[in-house]
């Protein structure tokens, strides 16, 4: 059958989508990009916060329109399917099947019967159909989360942290390298907790050491590192692995101790300041990224000001922020002290404006430096290339490097770029030999 696939949400969801598409391709189904041609459409949904739910519902209704044409089966999978399976079946009759995440071990049987009556290769054994740029791929090293932050529905959706065996990950990584992947990005809800449930201890560093030995990878990047689990052994071990980038994605969520406690976040602002000092002493040019929540129930003006001061003190290289979104069935949902939406938005604007100033100052320090850049695109009219440096994660998480060159460059190639101009998020430069 001709199958259209829509993947919403985070990179962890994308890996799930790639595995499902790989199952379908191995069974000789044809993946099509035009939903008007699709005989079946599968939507992998996100259900993390309200805007993600709204996007998922909107996408389902949009894809349901194609049932007027060629589409015979509309199938919904993913996080929204896990949380609201019965409601989706009841409220949207155009949907032919809703497959929850907990059903993924049997998804080959379910999809096989829905599509053509034949079983597919199992989800666990499927080879991913990598849908990102061919030189970059994500490696999901664990499923679920055991941190149980009071605002987060992930443990409700995906359960507690379950580490994937190291041998399985190494084999998957070797397959990706053999297919030309040069940048491997490790992801999980909490990458630093890797191995605790399976091996009885944090095992991210041993995994990195094994991945580092694989031929073909040029960069290995880690995302979603929980601050209190980044210890000296991990930092010093990473420093001995040249392929492993000193890119530290450390979601803080707040700086005030009372707020962190209310969120069930371990550690303190002081602990993180010590951690950052250690990272900056160990690496010449590390990248420090974080995210914050503003408007959490009970957040006072003084606590918000403390957060702003923390941003000034640390000078984060990259920072994202979002307003608190109440999620049903989470402990924070019923907390007293709800913040008015207008105040939430005002605080978000203030924090992001502050970070823009910090980011611009940080970026100015890059002028005159030469960076290694992974080339990803080109503006054909202007002849300007676009790529990412070691400081930039994929999928528009961070900024880009725009540069000119006197030669033709292949996408996926690594080049040296001397920075001549810096903006708030992006850099400009010229290739140097």
């Amino acid at each position: 059958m001709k199958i259209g696939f829509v993947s919403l949400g985070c990179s962890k969801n994308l890996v799930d989508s790639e595995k499902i598409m790989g199952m379908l391709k191995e069974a000789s189904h044809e993946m099509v990009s035009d939903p008007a041609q699709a005989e079946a459409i599968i939507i992998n949904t996100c259900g993390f916060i309200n805007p993600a739910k709204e996007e998922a519902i909107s996408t389902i209704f949009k894809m349901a329109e194609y049932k007027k044409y060629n589409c015979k089966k509309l199938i919904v999978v993913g996080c929204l399917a896990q949380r609201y399976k019965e409601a989706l079946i009841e409220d949207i009759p155009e949907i032919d099947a809703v497959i929850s995440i907990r059903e993924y071990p049997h998804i080959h049987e379910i999809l096989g019967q829905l599509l053509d009556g034949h079983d597919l290769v199992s989800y666990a054994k499927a080879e991913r159909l990598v849908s990102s740029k061919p030189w970059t791929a994500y490696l999901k090293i664990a499923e679920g989360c055991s941190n149980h932050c009071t605002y987060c529905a992930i443990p409700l959706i995906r359960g507690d942290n379950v580490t994937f065996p190291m041998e399985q990950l190494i084999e998957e990584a070797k397959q990706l390298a053999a297919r030309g992947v040069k940048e491997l990005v490790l992801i999980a809800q909490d990458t630093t907790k890797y191995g605790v449930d399976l091996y009885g201890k944090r095992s991210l560093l041993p995994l990195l050491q094994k991945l580092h030995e694989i031929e073909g990878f040029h960069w290995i990047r880690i995302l979603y590192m929980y601050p209190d689990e980044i210890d000296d052994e991990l930092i010093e071990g990473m420093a001995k692995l040249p392929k492993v980038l000193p890119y530290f994605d450390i979601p803080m969520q707040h700086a005030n101790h009372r707020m962190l406690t209310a969120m069930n976040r371990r550690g303190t602002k002081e602990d993180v300041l010590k951690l950052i000092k250690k990272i900056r002493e160990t690496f010449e040019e590390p990248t420090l990224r974080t995210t914050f929540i503003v408007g959490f129930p009970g957040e006072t003006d003084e606590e918000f000001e403390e957060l702003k001061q923390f941003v000034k003190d640390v000078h984060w290289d990259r920072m994202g922020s979002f307003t608190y979104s109440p999620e049903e069935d989470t402990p924070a949902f019923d907390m007293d002290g709800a913040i008015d939406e207008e105040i939430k938005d005002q605080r978000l604007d203030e924090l992001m404006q502050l970070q823009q100033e910090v980011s611009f100052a940080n970026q100015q320090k890059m002028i005159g430096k030469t960076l290694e850049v992974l080339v990803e695109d080109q503006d054909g009219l202007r002849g300007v290339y676009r790529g990412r440096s070691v400081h930039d994660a994929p999928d528009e998480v961070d900024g880009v490097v725009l540069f000119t060159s006197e030669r033709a460059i292949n996408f996926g190639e690594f080049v040296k770029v001397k920075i001549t101009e810096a903006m708030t998020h992006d850099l400009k430069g010229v290739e140097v030999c």
Side-chain angles (χ1 to χ4, degrees):
M1 295 179 69
K2 293 183 177 180
I3 300 174
F5 206 107
V6 181
S7 187
L8 304 174
C10 66
S11 54
K12 296 175 283 294
N13 226 30
L14 177 64
V15 172
D16 292 343
S17 296
E18 291 177 343
K19 293 206 75 171
I20 296 170
M21 286 190 287
M23 293 164 48
L24 297 168
K25 185 179 179 183
E26 284 188 47
S28 299
H29 292 292
E30 179 186 352
M31 308 306 300
V32 295
S33 57
D34 183 358
Q37 296 179 5
E39 298 168 276
I41 296 175
I42 302 173
I43 306 166
N44 191 359
T45 58
C46 178
F48 181 47
I49 55 176
N50 284 328
K53 296 176 194 173
E54 291 167 3
E55 180 188 24
I57 295 296
S58 173
T59 302
I60 292 170
F61 280 119
K62 182 179 178 181
M63 292 299 110
E65 288 294 307
Y66 291 99
K67 296 198 81 174
K68 298 175 183 176
Y69 304 97
N70 291 328
C71 182
K72 300 174 182 64
K73 299 287 184 181
L74 182 63
I75 302 165
V76 178
V77 303
C79 293
L80 200 73
Q82 179 64 45
R83 287 194 82 183
Y84 304 106
K85 179 171 182 172
E86 300 305 322
L88 288 169
I89 293 171
E90 183 177 339
D91 296 342
I92 309 178
E94 292 90 346
I95 297 175
D96 294 284
V98 177
I99 307 173
S100 67
I101 293 169
R102 308 290 164 82
E103 294 176 286
Y104 281 7
H106 305 287
I107 194 172
H108 60 293
E109 300 168 351
I110 300 169
L111 282 178
Q113 293 304 310
L114 281 168
L115 298 177
D116 62 2
H118 297 92
D119 285 356
L120 310 173
V121 63
S122 73
Y123 180 78
K125 295 180 180 179
E127 185 172 335
R128 286 164 52 191
L129 178 62
V130 177
S131 57
S132 57
K133 294 179 175 68
W135 46 83
T136 295
Y138 294 100
L139 182 69
K140 186 160 70 167
I141 65 174
E143 183 64 277
C145 186
S146 299
N147 292 322
H148 294 275
C149 302
T150 58
Y151 53 82
C152 183
I154 292 298
L156 300 172
I157 299 170
R158 294 186 175 263
D160 283 340
N161 180 78
V162 176
T163 290
F164 298 152
M166 199 173 297
E167 298 78 14
Q168 173 186 323
L169 294 174
I170 297 303
E171 182 59 32
E172 184 176 350
K174 286 179 178 178
Q175 291 175 4
L176 293 171
R179 290 155 64 180
V181 170
K182 299 177 182 178
E183 178 188 26
L184 189 70
V185 185
L186 273 58
I187 54 171
Q189 297 298 338
D190 179 359
T191 51
T192 39
K193 201 178 242 72
Y194 177 78
V196 171
D197 59 311
L198 187 59
Y199 304 116
K201 60 181 180 179
R202 293 197 291 263
S203 304
L204 179 59
L205 181 56
L207 175 62
L208 289 171
Q209 290 166 338
K210 288 183 179 297
L211 292 171
H212 192 272
E213 296 172 1
I214 298 175
E215 293 284 338
F217 295 137
H218 189 74
W219 286 350
I220 299 174
R221 192 186 300 272
I222 314 163
L223 300 183
Y224 314 112
M225 306 174 79
Y226 208 90
D228 75 318
E229 292 170 350
I230 306 173
D231 55 21
D232 288 356
E233 182 183 11
L234 177 60
I235 294 170
E236 292 165 7
M238 288 173 61
K240 297 174 183 176
L241 302 172
K243 295 179 186 177
V244 178
L245 304 181
Y247 182 99
F248 290 86
D249 177 24
I250 309 172
M252 273 291 297
Q253 311 310 1
H254 215 282
N256 173 265
H257 183 66
R258 191 182 75 86
M259 282 286 96
L260 289 170
T261 301
M263 293 176 177
N264 196 33
R265 301 286 295 183
R266 298 184 303 276
T268 65
K269 172 180 66 177
E270 290 73 24
D271 293 333
V272 173
L273 289 173
K274 290 178 185 176
L275 169 63
I276 289 169
K277 184 173 184 290
K278 171 70 176 180
I279 291 171
R280 285 177 168 159
E281 288 174 349
T282 304
F283 298 95
E284 184 177 349
E285 285 189 349
T287 305
L288 294 166
R289 189 181 199 283
T290 195
T291 54
F292 293 114
I293 297 172
V294 298
F296 190 79
E299 183 188 51
T300 65
D301 289 340
E302 292 75 18
E303 288 164 343
F304 176 64
E305 289 300 319
E306 182 179 347
L307 173 57
K308 288 170 61 179
Q309 187 60 50
F310 183 62
V311 170
K312 292 179 185 177
D313 292 342
V314 173
H315 263 244
W316 298 93
D317 300 289
R318 309 283 188 264
M319 188 198 86
S321 184
F322 52 95
T323 58
Y324 168 70
S325 173
E327 290 301 311
E328 56 189 349
D329 301 322
T330 62
F333 186 77
D334 297 317
M335 283 184 180
D336 295 332
I339 307 297
D340 184 81
E341 291 298 326
E342 188 174 334
I343 295 175
K344 287 184 190 178
D345 291 339
Q346 179 183 336
R347 289 178 180 175
L348 179 65
D349 288 344
E350 282 187 42
L351 192 63
M352 294 311 296
Q353 178 60 43
L354 171 59
Q355 177 58 26
Q356 283 195 334
E357 296 169 9
V358 170
S359 179
F360 185 74
N362 287 342
Q363 293 280 88
Q364 296 305 304
K365 298 175 185 177
M366 305 304 292
I367 295 175
K369 293 184 178 181
T370 298
L371 301 179
E372 185 175 48
V373 173
L374 173 56
V375 185
E376 296 194 308
D377 202 356
Q378 183 184 24
D379 183 331
L381 293 177
R382 296 185 300 157
V384 175
Y385 287 96
R386 170 183 170 134
R388 291 183 291 109
S389 75
V390 295
H391 305 294
D392 306 310
D395 295 331
E396 301 181 358
V397 168
D398 300 319
V400 296
V401 179
L402 305 168
F403 68 96
T404 56
S405 175
E406 294 182 355
R407 66 185 181 97
I409 303 175
N410 296 319
F411 299 158
E413 186 177 337
F414 289 90
V415 299
K416 299 291 185 182
V417 175
K418 184 174 183 179
I419 304 305
T420 57
E421 184 180 346
M423 297 164 284
T424 304
H425 302 294
D426 303 333
L427 300 170
K428 290 184 178 180
V430 59
E431 187 198 9
V432 293
C433 296

